[in-house]
Amino acid sequence: MKLELLSSIVSLPLLALACLLPEEREGLPRLARRQSSSNGIPIATGDRYSGGTVAPRGLGTQSVTLTNLLNVNEIASGLKGLATVYGISTFTTPYKTYNGATISGGKAGGNGTCNNAYRVYLNAAIHARERGGSDGLLYFIGDLLYANKNNVGLKYGSKTYTNAQVKTALSTGVVFVPLSNPDGVAYDQSSNSCWRKNRNPASSTGSAASIGVDLNRNFDFLWDFTKLFASSVRSSVASTSPTSETFHGTSAFSEPETQSIKWVMDTFSKVRWFVDLHSYTGDVLYSWGSDENQSKYPTMNFLNSTYNGVRGVLSDTPGSGTGYGEYTPTAENADNIKAATRMGSAMTAATQRTYSVIPAAELYPTSGASDDYSYSRHFADPTKNLIHGYTVEFGFGNSASSCPFYPTQAQHNLNIQEIGAGFMELLLAGAEIGLGDAVAC
């Protein structure tokens, strides 16, 4: 089975694999692109939300063409605008980034006002160069709130939703963070340097490339990969080199950005569904990302040190010799797949660009990722809530840009429609599959 998965991976015509360019996955410097003068759709100047007096509104409630990306100041202003116009509450995590930025989010819908009323967590922009994620999240929340207030439905390309579905989606209670790597995004927007990591220079060796940590290798899930994974796969799992795009930091949760995401999960402790928005491979990824999923051997899991040094080999068979697979209960795995399939189908239907739905490990094994961390929490600590965690890799790359993660205007408009449809479907799937115990506020 794993050999079949590997052959299918090799045949995929992808420019990037789960946020990494081919050379970056091999630990090599990023190659210069011939079309270095193009940076895709431009970054906006000014503030279209007028200091937070105007709310974002996306492509689900109006027929317009987006001609630029939100700048970092507009992302903050847009969040404030949602609070001003629709009366939602916002919050700021207790951690400041290296450059002194705060990480803020909002709370929309739900059946109650306490933190336990929010059962879905949507996160964006953990990787700085993956442009359009913050836009997609803010526009979706803006569409959802606009449609609810004005008793209308949503239309993302060819995918439509009724007002009744809007109200069902909003009733799940959504906590959202549109800009989880503010330093990195600000730097990438100002430099057009295809910057991925945060801007923490603590481990820098003096070169520009050695600044920063890959935040999506910094979560406390098999973080110490040099001990926990097979030696043959470690180079593609993460890196201990500060110059690498996948440098995992000095310890799990060493970074204020990842601490902030953990804080959201701890604070809104009844969250059942989590999506981390990335680009670009046209995929919806569900856990696990460490190895193949298996439901036969409960003790074969990330907590069991017996399996240190054998994880991540996708050509072995769980239970045969040293063969390893990450345990997931059958029922949970079925729910993971069901919601992922609904997201992928909706995103495909919106624009007719095909999204794949696969376990994260099918691309390549990883450690310290946000989706696996979210799903792992209830295994590591049974007092914590089950969270179904996903990575959505929106878009399909811009080969004509200096950085393939910078979409064209046409791509950006398609991306925004697909993101909206995917998020909407996740909320509806969550409402159908289950949001956990009853809200008691």
Side-chain angles (χ1 to χ4, degrees), residues 46-91:
D47 178 10
R48 74 194 76 189
Y49 304 124
S50 302
T53 60
V54 177
R57 187 176 166 194
L59 300 182
T61 57
Q62 59 181 339
S63 180
V64 298
T65 298
L66 304 172
T67 59
N68 49 38
L69 290 161
L70 301 177
N71 61 56
V72 289
N73 293 328
E74 284 183 306
I75 296 169
S77 180
L79 176 61
K80 185 178 178 182
L82 292 173
T84 301
V85 174
Y86 298 110
I88 69 168
S89 298
T90 60
F91 61 86

Side-chain angles (χ1 to χ4, degrees), residues 4-17:
E4 293 174 358
L5 295 179
L6 283 174
S7 64
S8 68
I9 293 167
V10 170
S11 66
L12 289 174
L14 299 178
L15 294 174
L17 289 174

Side-chain angles (χ1 to χ4, degrees), residues 371-393:
D371 52 0
D372 280 344
Y373 168 71
S374 69
Y375 183 49
S376 75
R377 284 164 56 96
H378 75 295
F379 292 100
D381 181 355
T383 67
K384 293 191 184 304
N385 202 44
L386 159 65
I387 300 177
H388 300 279
Y390 303 91
T391 292
V392 169
E393 296 270 355

